Each structure stands twice: as C-alpha cells, then as structure tokens.
Amino acid sequence: MTVGTKGKVLVAMSGGIDSSVAAMMLHNEGYEVIGVTMKTWDYAGSGGSKKETGCCSLDSINDARILAVNHGFPHFILDIREEFGDYIIDNFVEEYLAGRTPNPCVLCNTHIKWDALLKRADQLDCEFIATGHYAQVRCENNRYVVSKGLDESKDQSYVLWGLSQDSLKRTIFPLGKYHKSEIRQMAIDSGYEELAKKSESYEICFVPDNDYRGFLRRKVEGLEERVDGGDFVLADGTVVGKHKGYPFYTVGQRKGLELAFGEPMFVTEIKPETNTVVLGKKEELDKQEMLVRNYNLIKYESLPADFEALTRIRYKDSGMMAGLKEVDGRIQAFFTQKVSAIAPGQSAVFYEGNDLVGGGFIV
C-alpha cells in the first residue's frame, strides 16, 4: 500500500515499545505518519533522587526520533511543560491538600495530552491522532465508544474515561487488538531488540522516585510545619496518637502509621479542616454507595434508567456491579455488595461488558 493513502496521523511517541510499535504499524498500514514526543515536565525541577527515566528523558526522546528517521517519517518535540505544570502538578498538590488522592494520569490525558495533540494535528493537517494505549474505539449509534484492549492484563481504558466525543472521533489505538507479547515480538522482528527489553514505568511521571510525600514537601513551602502533629482519632473521636500531616496519608493506608494497636488499623477518613486522620478496623473501610463528580459519559449521552455497570474504584480494581443514577450533576453509585477503601479523588470508572460507559472522580 502506498504510504499516506489511509490519511495523515500524528502519533504520540514516548520512546517506549508501545508507542514506537504503534507508529511503525500505522506507517506500514499506509498512513502518513508524523511522530511527536511531548515533554511534559522537567526532571531537574522535581528534586527527586532517582536517575532520569521515562517518557521525558533525553534517551527516550532520542529513541523516538531515531525510529522515525529509520522509517522515513518526520518527528517533532512538543514542549508542554508550562501547561502541564500549571494544570496537572498544581491539581495534584491541591488534591492532597484537600485530603483527597488525585488521579493525575486521567487529567493529563483529558486536559493536556489530547488537547495538545489535536492542536498540533490541526496545525499539521493531520486527520487523526494515535497513541500506544491498550484500548479500542469504534463508532456505534452515533457515539464513539471506547472498549477494553484485547490484552486485559495491559488494558488502559480506565485512564481514558475523560475523553470527549470530538477527541475520540479522531483517535486511533493501533495496539487495542493485540497482546503485549505480540507487540514485543513485532519490535524484535523489526530489529528493535533493545526497545523490546525496555523496562516499563508505572510511576507518576513527575514523581519518578514514587515518593509523593517528598514531592509535596518540595512543592509546598513550610508544609511540614503547617500540618505536623495533627491527631490520629477513632471514629468516635478518641485521640490515639499524633501523625505527620494529613496530606501524607491516603484512605485505605495501613503501613507507616507508626502506632501499635494489637490489630491492623487503617486510614478510613481524612479531615483537612482539622488536620485529623481517622483510623479504624478493616471493616470500617467497607461502604456500599458513593457519589461521583465531574463525570463524563462516553457510550451514552445520558445514563439509561435502572442502569447497572461494573464499577472500578482504582486502576487495578477488578470491579463490582453498581446501580448508577444521575442526580444534581453527580452520579450516585449503589454497589451490590460492600467495597473497601473508596478513596475521594480517585477515578470511578463504569463498564458495560468490555465497553467504557464513562467515569468521574469520587467525592
């Protein structure tokens, strides 16, 4: 097939195996490919102790560029550090200071990466954009619907719930119908054995040492002095100890409390207004309902009546069936059984079979 006959596509290339193979696949299928690597953050400014790795490192940018040159398509670097920092990092800090556990990857996809890709795609006259996410998209009943990737162990649909119909209309997910092992073999067969051996990072890109507490301390001047020494309390208000500051704890946390109770105790609630962290037994984490804010629906324009969906409350959660209802700009979710550690700020994501119905942030 002649290159370019299937249209022009801007491919987000991190330098890793998935986006690299995605770009090669589209190029081989006859698309006119333009590669772009987005520089989202400055490692030097993060203050972390770990060596620079991941999608923003110089090595990764060079790997993406070399692959593009080898295959004869152009490659650009898109510097979005300012908008990324203003929106994603500021929100990350604000959420922890509000006693919630943020989901920066969802916000980044929705408000930064896709917007940046579509803006540059328009400038370059590209009809489509593409990423290396393990997910699928199709048009059905005049809606663009996201579904799980074929390889459920790698499925990334959870972080895509915030995408708009306008964004999905122009999005291609080349890897959605493949298993990771097949993608790795494609890289090897194309002569990129080193690419296939690259380790994958599951950390937040701007917290490469995975120490979000240290990141908060560096970002918020005087934070420790402001929040240190608050009370650990039980549900009835009984003070059982002092903590190191409410932003440094998350709902469901068990380790690092530095208290001895004779039985396991967990963080069940965070009260930023009083710098209080509530502790309880495991069963005190169990709840059967929740509210979801700032939600976005993908499969339906509005939820059908008496609608039930498999509901996931964290990335690796297997999910639980819940009845969903739209009420006053929020979604009420009623689980069929109690679920543990529903953490405000995390994403609740709804599925109908393999299809992504939508999602939002837990209140």
Side-chain angles (χ1 to χ4, degrees):
M1 182 177 288
T2 304
V3 172
T5 58
K6 297 188 72 173
K8 200 171 180 181
V9 58
L10 183 67
V11 183
M13 299 179 65
S14 68
I17 182 172
D18 294 330
S19 60
S20 296
V21 171
M24 285 193 289
M25 288 172 64
L26 292 171
H27 177 72
N28 293 338
E29 287 172 15
Y31 286 91
E32 182 181 348
V33 171
I34 298 177
V36 62
T37 300
M38 289 178 280
K39 190 163 182 62
T40 56
W41 64 285
D42 231 332
Y43 185 83
S46 73
S49 57
K50 192 175 178 180
K51 183 182 177 182
E52 180 176 7
T53 58
C55 61
C56 296
S57 71
L58 188 59
D59 284 346
S60 293
I61 292 172
N62 286 338
D63 287 345
R65 174 161 285 173
I66 289 169
L67 186 141
V69 170
N70 288 346
H71 286 268
F73 60 82
H75 173 269
F76 300 97
I77 297 171
L78 182 55
D79 190 338
I80 55 173
R81 286 175 293 180
E82 187 173 336
E83 52 201 294
F84 180 91
D86 288 347
Y87 194 90
I88 302 302
I89 294 178
D90 289 354
N91 176 269
F92 182 82
V93 172
E94 289 165 5
E95 285 291 281
Y96 272 113
L97 293 182
R100 297 186 288 263
T101 306
N103 234 167
C105 294
V106 170
L107 276 183
C108 182
N109 282 336
T110 306
H111 296 286
I112 302 297
K113 287 188 176 178
W114 253 258
D115 282 356
L117 283 172
L118 288 169
K119 181 179 178 181
R120 182 52 66 93
D122 288 340
Q123 293 171 349
L124 296 170
D125 295 322
C126 292
E127 301 164 66
F128 308 105
I129 62 172
T131 73
H133 285 87
Y134 285 84
Q136 303 181 64
V137 62
R138 70 182 189 279
C139 187
E140 182 178 286
N141 298 323
N142 295 317
R143 300 283 296 180
Y144 286 87
V145 182
V146 173
S147 57
K148 293 179 182 178
L150 181 66
D151 189 342
E152 286 216 30
S153 68
K154 300 300 296 181
D155 170 55
Q156 293 170 297
S157 59
Y158 176 90
V159 298
L160 303 174
W161 64 258
L163 297 180
S164 68
Q165 288 292 297
D166 285 343
S167 294
L168 291 171
K169 182 178 182 179
R170 299 174 63 185
T171 297
I172 302 172
F173 296 121
L175 308 190
K177 295 182 179 180
Y178 296 89
H179 286 88
K180 179 73 176 197
S181 57
E182 296 176 284
I183 299 304
R184 188 172 285 113
Q185 190 60 50
M186 286 182 197
I188 293 171
D189 292 345
S190 299
Y192 294 96
E193 288 191 31
E194 290 304 312
L195 189 65
K197 293 176 185 177
K198 262 192 175 184
S199 61
E200 295 182 89
S201 173
Y202 298 98
E203 299 151 348
I204 298 170
C205 67
F206 55 89
V207 190
D209 56 6
N210 220 19
D211 179 16
Y212 86 87
R213 297 170 181 86
F215 181 82
L216 290 177
R217 291 185 182 102
R218 293 188 294 272
K219 290 296 292 183
V220 184
E221 188 175 349
L223 177 61
E224 285 183 284
E225 291 77 7
R226 283 164 44 190
V227 299
D228 189 28
D231 290 330
F232 277 126
V233 302
L234 303 180
D236 63 6
T238 303
V239 177
V240 293
K242 296 291 183 182
H243 62 66
K244 296 181 178 179
Y246 74 86
F248 306 136
Y249 301 87
T250 58
V251 169
Q253 180 178 336
R254 174 185 171 188
K255 296 181 179 180
L257 303 180
E258 299 180 0
L259 292 173
F261 289 96
E263 61 181 323
M265 295 291 279
F266 300 80
V267 174
T268 61
E269 188 180 357
I270 296 168
K271 298 183 176 181
E273 64 277 4
T274 57
N275 193 17
T276 302
V277 177
V278 184
L279 303 179
K281 299 177 182 178
K282 185 172 178 57
E283 55 266 28
E284 292 180 67
L285 282 170
D286 295 342
K287 294 182 179 179
Q288 204 156 348
E289 60 183 83
M290 67 180 177
L291 282 175
V292 178
R293 61 180 171 86
N294 299 105
Y295 67 89
N296 178 57
L297 297 179
I298 289 178
K299 186 171 184 179
Y300 302 104
E301 190 171 343
S302 60
L303 288 177
D306 303 317
F307 189 73
E308 288 193 343
L310 184 78
T311 300
R312 294 166 59 186
I313 59 169
R314 59 184 66 87
Y315 185 55
K316 291 298 183 182
D317 179 26
S318 58
M320 176 72 68
M321 292 302 295
L324 307 179
K325 183 189 295 185
E326 295 178 80
V327 179
D328 298 329
R330 294 179 175 183
I331 289 179
Q332 289 182 340
F334 299 90
F335 292 96
T336 54
Q337 299 177 38
K338 289 187 176 181
V339 297
S340 182
I342 298 175
Q346 285 286 287
S347 287
V349 183
F350 315 119
Y351 290 86
E352 186 175 46
N354 288 324
D355 291 342
L356 177 61
V357 174
F361 295 111
I362 299 168
V363 174

